[in-house]
Amino acid sequence: MPALVVFDCFGTVVTELTPMPEAPELARRLAAALGLPAATAAAVIDDLIGTLWTALTDPAAEQPASRELLARVLDEHGVPADAAAVDRTLWHVMGPDDGRFRLCAPAAEAMVRTAAAGHTVRMVSTCYLPGDQMRRLLAGLGVPDVLDACLFSADGGPKKPDPRAFAAVGAGDFTRRVMVGDTPHNDIAPARELGWDTVQVDAAAPDFTPLHALLGI
């Protein structure tokens, strides 16, 4: 029977070559994007990261939508920015232009094989870029166009390991659900608790043979 197979994004499908920049570098990028004084940019980044960190470190907390959060913080610091400026800033500050992301080729092959075998392929990601920008990032990296749906936490709402995130990305009439991810506490354990099959991937040595065996493909 066809299954729903949900792939984690970062660490599974997308490899992060370097960690996310620290606050000073993010502030520098923000200052460049909006022409802000360094002190103002640093204060905005501190508030932005503080709010996100509070949400991300509480498993049950919903993540605020990145667009609305950045617009609110900029407004609180007296920085005028329309919707287009907020979008450009998010991409410049949090996006992939520094070359720190790379497609995991074995994951891409596994996604294609899974879809070709008739299974539904989806993605779930804890991220900072909103959904349309995440799709732009994925397309630019060459992620196969086989995704039926995606859940990106930066659009606002529950994120892994919250069971509500798995319920959302796993919605539909499926008799079998499979979670593929690299993080035991965020990807594997919560999915198992919901009765999903799971495949844990080592980000340093990705091997999707267990997934192929599980699906018989």
Side-chain angles (χ1 to χ4, degrees):
M1 293 290 291
L4 168 65
V5 182
V6 178
F7 286 79
D8 165 56
C9 182
F10 298 108
T12 303
V13 175
V14 175
T15 301
E16 292 187 82
L17 302 176
T18 58
M20 188 174 110
E22 298 290 337
E25 170 60 16
L26 296 177
R28 186 195 67 77
R29 295 183 185 186
L30 179 65
L34 293 177
L36 300 179
T40 302
V44 169
I45 289 296
D46 282 349
D47 286 354
L48 190 68
I49 291 178
T51 301
L52 287 171
W53 182 253
T54 298
L56 292 174
T57 52
D58 180 352
E62 295 192 357
Q63 182 173 334
S66 292
R67 279 193 175 94
E68 287 79 359
L69 175 60
L70 178 57
R72 175 175 63 78
V73 173
L74 288 172
D75 183 67
E76 289 172 352
H77 286 272
V79 179
D82 60 16
V86 168
D87 275 6
R88 289 194 306 271
T89 301
L90 275 172
W91 183 260
H92 184 72
V93 174
M94 303 289 193
D97 291 341
D98 55 6
R100 64 190 179 97
F101 300 117
R102 181 180 65 195
L103 174 65
C104 173
E109 179 191 5
M111 293 171 69
V112 170
R113 288 181 62 170
T114 300
H119 303 293
T120 299
V121 180
R122 293 179 181 172
M123 178 177 284
V124 60
S125 177
T126 302
C127 54
Y128 300 109
L129 293 176
D132 58 329
Q133 293 192 357
M134 280 295 297
R135 291 180 179 87
R136 175 182 168 188
L137 184 156
L138 296 175
L141 293 174
V143 172
D145 186 18
V146 296
L147 293 170
D148 168 75
C150 300
L151 179 69
F152 297 120
S153 65
D155 285 331
K159 80 287 179 194
K160 299 180 300 177
D162 192 322
R164 293 175 297 169
F166 288 86
V169 76
D173 186 20
F174 301 99
T175 58
R176 187 182 195 185
R177 293 171 175 80
V178 182
M179 179 66 204
V180 185
D182 67 304
T183 309
H185 61 280
N186 269 355
D187 299 324
I188 304 304
R192 282 180 179 164
E193 289 177 5
L194 293 173
W196 294 28
D197 292 325
T198 60
V199 175
Q200 185 171 342
V201 177
D202 181 354
D207 177 13
F208 291 84
T209 304
L211 174 63
H212 302 156
L214 183 67
L215 298 176
I217 58 176

PDB file of all heavy atoms in Angstrom, residues 14 33 43 59 67 79 83 99 112 115 118 122 125 135 140 142 144 156 168 177 184-185 192 196 200 210 215-216:
ATOM      1  N   VAL A  14      18.864  18.742   3.117  1.00  0.00           N
ATOM      2  CA  VAL A  14      19.772  19.874   2.910  1.00  0.00           C
ATOM      3  C   VAL A  14      20.877  19.830   3.957  1.00  0.00           C
ATOM      4  O   VAL A  14      20.610  19.795   5.165  1.00  0.00           O
ATOM      5  CB  VAL A  14      19.013  21.212   2.997  1.00  0.00           C
ATOM      6  CG1 VAL A  14      19.984  22.392   2.903  1.00  0.00           C
ATOM      7  CG2 VAL A  14      17.957  21.304   1.897  1.00  0.00           C
ATOM      8  N   ALA A  33      21.185  45.590   4.536  1.00  0.00           N
ATOM      9  CA  ALA A  33      19.936  45.416   3.790  1.00  0.00           C
ATOM     10  C   ALA A  33      19.026  46.626   3.889  1.00  0.00           C
ATOM     11  O   ALA A  33      18.359  46.997   2.919  1.00  0.00           O
ATOM     12  CB  ALA A  33      19.204  44.171   4.287  1.00  0.00           C
ATOM     13  N   ALA A  43      20.290  45.923  17.902  1.00  0.00           N
ATOM     14  CA  ALA A  43      19.145  45.851  18.811  1.00  0.00           C
ATOM     15  C   ALA A  43      17.998  45.060  18.183  1.00  0.00           C
ATOM     16  O   ALA A  43      17.325  44.274  18.861  1.00  0.00           O
ATOM     17  CB  ALA A  43      18.680  47.254  19.175  1.00  0.00           C
ATOM     18  N   PRO A  59       9.385  23.052  23.532  1.00  0.00           N
ATOM     19  CA  PRO A  59       8.837  22.128  22.541  1.00  0.00           C
ATOM     20  C   PRO A  59       7.359  22.352  22.232  1.00  0.00           C
ATOM     21  O   PRO A  59       6.908  22.069  21.120  1.00  0.00           O
ATOM     22  CB  PRO A  59       9.052  20.750  23.182  1.00  0.00           C
ATOM     23  CG  PRO A  59      10.186  20.944  24.121  1.00  0.00           C
ATOM     24  CD  PRO A  59      10.038  22.339  24.643  1.00  0.00           C
ATOM     25  N   ARG A  67       7.842  36.663   8.916  1.00  0.00           N
ATOM     26  CA  ARG A  67       7.526  37.956   8.298  1.00  0.00           C
ATOM     27  C   ARG A  67       6.909  38.910   9.318  1.00  0.00           C
ATOM     28  O   ARG A  67       7.334  40.062   9.455  1.00  0.00           O
ATOM     29  CB  ARG A  67       6.558  37.766   7.124  1.00  0.00           C
ATOM     30  CG  ARG A  67       7.204  37.329   5.833  1.00  0.00           C
ATOM     31  CD  ARG A  67       6.222  37.488   4.669  1.00  0.00           C
ATOM     32  NE  ARG A  67       6.884  37.183   3.406  1.00  0.00           N
ATOM     33  CZ  ARG A  67       6.869  35.992   2.817  1.00  0.00           C
ATOM     34  NH1 ARG A  67       6.208  34.981   3.392  1.00  0.00           N
ATOM     35  NH2 ARG A  67       7.490  35.801   1.681  1.00  0.00           N
ATOM     36  N   VAL A  79      11.911  51.558  12.632  1.00  0.00           N
ATOM     37  CA  VAL A  79      12.482  51.336  11.302  1.00  0.00           C
ATOM     38  C   VAL A  79      11.354  51.112  10.302  1.00  0.00           C
ATOM     39  O   VAL A  79      10.639  50.109  10.392  1.00  0.00           O
ATOM     40  CB  VAL A  79      13.429  50.119  11.291  1.00  0.00           C
ATOM     41  CG1 VAL A  79      13.992  49.903   9.889  1.00  0.00           C
ATOM     42  CG2 VAL A  79      14.553  50.304  12.303  1.00  0.00           C
ATOM     43  N   ALA A  83       6.245  45.567   3.075  1.00  0.00           N
ATOM     44  CA  ALA A  83       6.280  44.104   2.953  1.00  0.00           C
ATOM     45  C   ALA A  83       7.424  43.641   2.059  1.00  0.00           C
ATOM     46  O   ALA A  83       8.095  42.639   2.353  1.00  0.00           O
ATOM     47  CB  ALA A  83       4.947  43.597   2.418  1.00  0.00           C
ATOM     48  N   GLY A  99      26.257  30.610   0.635  1.00  0.00           N
ATOM     49  CA  GLY A  99      26.699  29.303   0.175  1.00  0.00           C
ATOM     50  C   GLY A  99      26.828  28.246   1.248  1.00  0.00           C
ATOM     51  O   GLY A  99      27.549  27.259   1.067  1.00  0.00           O
ATOM     52  N   VAL A 112      13.154  10.813  -4.996  1.00  0.00           N
ATOM     53  CA  VAL A 112      12.702  10.461  -6.342  1.00  0.00           C
ATOM     54  C   VAL A 112      12.229   9.007  -6.377  1.00  0.00           C
ATOM     55  O   VAL A 112      11.161   8.693  -6.934  1.00  0.00           O
ATOM     56  CB  VAL A 112      13.821  10.701  -7.367  1.00  0.00           C
ATOM     57  CG1 VAL A 112      13.445  10.121  -8.724  1.00  0.00           C
ATOM     58  CG2 VAL A 112      14.115  12.193  -7.493  1.00  0.00           C
ATOM     59  N   ALA A 115       8.834   8.654  -4.530  1.00  0.00           N
ATOM     60  CA  ALA A 115       7.711   9.165  -5.310  1.00  0.00           C
ATOM     61  C   ALA A 115       7.414   8.267  -6.507  1.00  0.00           C
ATOM     62  O   ALA A 115       6.244   8.012  -6.838  1.00  0.00           O
ATOM     63  CB  ALA A 115       7.997  10.591  -5.769  1.00  0.00           C
ATOM     64  N   GLY A 118       5.169   5.399  -6.021  1.00  0.00           N
ATOM     65  CA  GLY A 118       3.764   5.675  -5.758  1.00  0.00           C
ATOM     66  C   GLY A 118       3.458   6.200  -4.369  1.00  0.00           C
ATOM     67  O   GLY A 118       2.286   6.376  -4.016  1.00  0.00           O
ATOM     68  N   ARG A 122       6.425  14.297   1.442  1.00  0.00           N
ATOM     69  CA  ARG A 122       6.252  15.633   2.025  1.00  0.00           C
ATOM     70  C   ARG A 122       7.519  16.019   2.790  1.00  0.00           C
ATOM     71  O   ARG A 122       8.422  15.211   2.974  1.00  0.00           O
ATOM     72  CB  ARG A 122       5.032  15.669   2.960  1.00  0.00           C
ATOM     73  CG  ARG A 122       3.709  15.481   2.227  1.00  0.00           C
ATOM     74  CD  ARG A 122       2.510  15.503   3.158  1.00  0.00           C
ATOM     75  NE  ARG A 122       1.273  15.299   2.413  1.00  0.00           N
ATOM     76  CZ  ARG A 122       0.085  15.111   2.969  1.00  0.00           C
ATOM     77  NH1 ARG A 122      -0.029  15.106   4.302  1.00  0.00           N
ATOM     78  NH2 ARG A 122      -0.991  14.923   2.224  1.00  0.00           N
ATOM     79  N   SER A 125      10.007  21.161   8.268  1.00  0.00           N
ATOM     80  CA  SER A 125      11.255  21.854   8.592  1.00  0.00           C
ATOM     81  C   SER A 125      11.052  22.892   9.680  1.00  0.00           C
ATOM     82  O   SER A 125      10.099  23.673   9.637  1.00  0.00           O
ATOM     83  CB  SER A 125      11.810  22.552   7.347  1.00  0.00           C
ATOM     84  OG  SER A 125      12.986  23.278   7.665  1.00  0.00           O
ATOM     85  N   ARG A 135      10.882  27.363  -0.393  1.00  0.00           N
ATOM     86  CA  ARG A 135      10.744  26.672  -1.682  1.00  0.00           C
ATOM     87  C   ARG A 135      11.744  27.226  -2.697  1.00  0.00           C
ATOM     88  O   ARG A 135      12.285  26.483  -3.523  1.00  0.00           O
ATOM     89  CB  ARG A 135       9.310  26.793  -2.188  1.00  0.00           C
ATOM     90  CG  ARG A 135       8.315  25.997  -1.353  1.00  0.00           C
ATOM     91  CD  ARG A 135       6.890  26.124  -1.879  1.00  0.00           C
ATOM     92  NE  ARG A 135       5.970  25.344  -1.072  1.00  0.00           N
ATOM     93  CZ  ARG A 135       5.370  25.783   0.034  1.00  0.00           C
ATOM     94  NH1 ARG A 135       5.610  27.019   0.461  1.00  0.00           N
ATOM     95  NH2 ARG A 135       4.552  25.009   0.706  1.00  0.00           N
ATOM     96  N   GLY A 140      16.589  26.202  -5.717  1.00  0.00           N
ATOM     97  CA  GLY A 140      17.931  26.633  -6.085  1.00  0.00           C
ATOM     98  C   GLY A 140      18.990  25.578  -5.804  1.00  0.00           C
ATOM     99  O   GLY A 140      20.012  25.524  -6.497  1.00  0.00           O
ATOM    100  N   GLY A 142      18.354  22.400  -6.057  1.00  0.00           N
ATOM    101  CA  GLY A 142      18.075  21.244  -6.902  1.00  0.00           C
ATOM    102  C   GLY A 142      17.306  20.139  -6.221  1.00  0.00           C
ATOM    103  O   GLY A 142      17.345  18.981  -6.663  1.00  0.00           O
ATOM    104  N   PRO A 144      14.486  17.675  -5.620  1.00  0.00           N
ATOM    105  CA  PRO A 144      13.528  17.176  -6.609  1.00  0.00           C
ATOM    106  C   PRO A 144      12.115  17.720  -6.387  1.00  0.00           C
ATOM    107  O   PRO A 144      11.665  17.862  -5.241  1.00  0.00           O
ATOM    108  CB  PRO A 144      13.568  15.656  -6.397  1.00  0.00           C
ATOM    109  CG  PRO A 144      14.893  15.383  -5.789  1.00  0.00           C
ATOM    110  CD  PRO A 144      15.206  16.576  -4.941  1.00  0.00           C
ATOM    111  N   GLY A 156       4.664  30.133  10.906  1.00  0.00           N
ATOM    112  CA  GLY A 156       3.942  30.306  12.163  1.00  0.00           C
ATOM    113  C   GLY A 156       3.171  29.065  12.546  1.00  0.00           C
ATOM    114  O   GLY A 156       2.532  28.438  11.706  1.00  0.00           O
ATOM    115  N   ALA A 168      -0.170  17.817  11.414  1.00  0.00           N
ATOM    116  CA  ALA A 168      -0.441  18.698  10.274  1.00  0.00           C
ATOM    117  C   ALA A 168       0.207  18.178   9.001  1.00  0.00           C
ATOM    118  O   ALA A 168      -0.433  18.088   7.954  1.00  0.00           O
ATOM    119  CB  ALA A 168       0.033  20.118  10.585  1.00  0.00           C
ATOM    120  N   ARG A 177       2.587   5.848   7.743  1.00  0.00           N
ATOM    121  CA  ARG A 177       3.349   7.093   7.689  1.00  0.00           C
ATOM    122  C   ARG A 177       4.782   6.798   8.113  1.00  0.00           C
ATOM    123  O   ARG A 177       5.018   6.052   9.068  1.00  0.00           O
ATOM    124  CB  ARG A 177       2.728   8.155   8.601  1.00  0.00           C
ATOM    125  CG  ARG A 177       1.355   8.638   8.142  1.00  0.00           C
ATOM    126  CD  ARG A 177       0.688   9.520   9.183  1.00  0.00           C
ATOM    127  NE  ARG A 177      -0.566  10.086   8.700  1.00  0.00           N
ATOM    128  CZ  ARG A 177      -1.728   9.421   8.669  1.00  0.00           C
ATOM    129  NH1 ARG A 177      -1.777   8.163   9.107  1.00  0.00           N
ATOM    130  NH2 ARG A 177      -2.819  10.001   8.217  1.00  0.00           N
ATOM    131  N   PRO A 184      17.226  12.529  16.678  1.00  0.00           N
ATOM    132  CA  PRO A 184      16.410  11.598  17.464  1.00  0.00           C
ATOM    133  C   PRO A 184      15.249  12.267  18.207  1.00  0.00           C
ATOM    134  O   PRO A 184      14.117  11.798  18.159  1.00  0.00           O
ATOM    135  CB  PRO A 184      17.413  10.982  18.447  1.00  0.00           C
ATOM    136  CG  PRO A 184      18.738  11.108  17.764  1.00  0.00           C
ATOM    137  CD  PRO A 184      18.667  12.396  16.987  1.00  0.00           C
ATOM    138  N   HIS A 185      15.534  13.397  18.902  1.00  0.00           N
ATOM    139  CA  HIS A 185      14.503  13.994  19.748  1.00  0.00           C
ATOM    140  C   HIS A 185      13.498  14.837  18.972  1.00  0.00           C
ATOM    141  O   HIS A 185      12.370  15.019  19.420  1.00  0.00           O
ATOM    142  CB  HIS A 185      15.148  14.842  20.852  1.00  0.00           C
ATOM    143  CG  HIS A 185      15.971  15.979  20.339  1.00  0.00           C
ATOM    144  ND1 HIS A 185      17.266  15.812  19.871  1.00  0.00           N
ATOM    145  CD2 HIS A 185      15.702  17.303  20.212  1.00  0.00           C
ATOM    146  CE1 HIS A 185      17.750  16.984  19.498  1.00  0.00           C
ATOM    147  NE2 HIS A 185      16.831  17.898  19.676  1.00  0.00           N
ATOM    148  N   ARG A 192       7.604   8.219  16.291  1.00  0.00           N
ATOM    149  CA  ARG A 192       7.354   6.875  16.825  1.00  0.00           C
ATOM    150  C   ARG A 192       6.205   6.889  17.830  1.00  0.00           C
ATOM    151  O   ARG A 192       5.386   5.959  17.863  1.00  0.00           O
ATOM    152  CB  ARG A 192       8.618   6.336  17.495  1.00  0.00           C
ATOM    153  CG  ARG A 192       9.660   5.811  16.520  1.00  0.00           C
ATOM    154  CD  ARG A 192      10.871   5.294  17.257  1.00  0.00           C
ATOM    155  NE  ARG A 192      11.875   4.763  16.336  1.00  0.00           N
ATOM    156  CZ  ARG A 192      13.128   4.525  16.665  1.00  0.00           C
ATOM    157  NH1 ARG A 192      13.547   4.757  17.911  1.00  0.00           N
ATOM    158  NH2 ARG A 192      13.980   4.039  15.773  1.00  0.00           N
ATOM    159  N   TRP A 196       4.177   6.171  13.834  1.00  0.00           N
ATOM    160  CA  TRP A 196       4.793   6.206  12.510  1.00  0.00           C
ATOM    161  C   TRP A 196       5.987   5.251  12.471  1.00  0.00           C
ATOM    162  O   TRP A 196       6.639   4.991  13.487  1.00  0.00           O
ATOM    163  CB  TRP A 196       5.302   7.612  12.193  1.00  0.00           C
ATOM    164  CG  TRP A 196       4.274   8.671  12.038  1.00  0.00           C
ATOM    165  CD1 TRP A 196       3.041   8.743  12.615  1.00  0.00           C
ATOM    166  CD2 TRP A 196       4.414   9.875  11.270  1.00  0.00           C
ATOM    167  NE1 TRP A 196       2.402   9.904  12.263  1.00  0.00           N
ATOM    168  CE2 TRP A 196       3.221  10.615  11.436  1.00  0.00           C
ATOM    169  CE3 TRP A 196       5.428  10.392  10.470  1.00  0.00           C
ATOM    170  CZ2 TRP A 196       3.021  11.858  10.814  1.00  0.00           C
ATOM    171  CZ3 TRP A 196       5.231  11.625   9.855  1.00  0.00           C
ATOM    172  CH2 TRP A 196       4.038  12.343  10.011  1.00  0.00           C
ATOM    173  N   GLN A 200      16.138   6.830  10.767  1.00  0.00           N
ATOM    174  CA  GLN A 200      17.091   7.849  11.206  1.00  0.00           C
ATOM    175  C   GLN A 200      18.292   7.856  10.279  1.00  0.00           C
ATOM    176  O   GLN A 200      18.860   6.809   9.957  1.00  0.00           O
ATOM    177  CB  GLN A 200      17.542   7.604  12.642  1.00  0.00           C
ATOM    178  CG  GLN A 200      18.432   8.724  13.169  1.00  0.00           C
ATOM    179  CD  GLN A 200      18.699   8.597  14.663  1.00  0.00           C
ATOM    180  OE1 GLN A 200      17.993   7.910  15.374  1.00  0.00           O
ATOM    181  NE2 GLN A 200      19.736   9.289  15.116  1.00  0.00           N
ATOM    182  N   PRO A 210      18.014   1.848   4.445  1.00  0.00           N
ATOM    183  CA  PRO A 210      16.932   1.387   5.329  1.00  0.00           C
ATOM    184  C   PRO A 210      15.549   1.868   4.873  1.00  0.00           C
ATOM    185  O   PRO A 210      14.569   1.145   5.031  1.00  0.00           O
ATOM    186  CB  PRO A 210      17.312   1.984   6.687  1.00  0.00           C
ATOM    187  CG  PRO A 210      18.802   2.112   6.629  1.00  0.00           C
ATOM    188  CD  PRO A 210      19.099   2.515   5.209  1.00  0.00           C
ATOM    189  N   LEU A 215      10.320   0.394   2.456  1.00  0.00           N
ATOM    190  CA  LEU A 215       9.266   0.609   1.449  1.00  0.00           C
ATOM    191  C   LEU A 215       9.268  -0.460   0.370  1.00  0.00           C
ATOM    192  O   LEU A 215       8.345  -0.503  -0.458  1.00  0.00           O
ATOM    193  CB  LEU A 215       9.433   1.985   0.810  1.00  0.00           C
ATOM    194  CG  LEU A 215       9.309   3.190   1.739  1.00  0.00           C
ATOM    195  CD1 LEU A 215       9.600   4.483   0.957  1.00  0.00           C
ATOM    196  CD2 LEU A 215       7.914   3.274   2.376  1.00  0.00           C
ATOM    197  N   GLY A 216      10.320  -1.279   0.345  1.00  0.00           N
ATOM    198  CA  GLY A 216      10.417  -2.304  -0.677  1.00  0.00           C
ATOM    199  C   GLY A 216      10.640  -1.741  -2.063  1.00  0.00           C
ATOM    200  O   GLY A 216      10.078  -2.210  -3.060  1.00  0.00           O
TER     201      GLY A 216
END
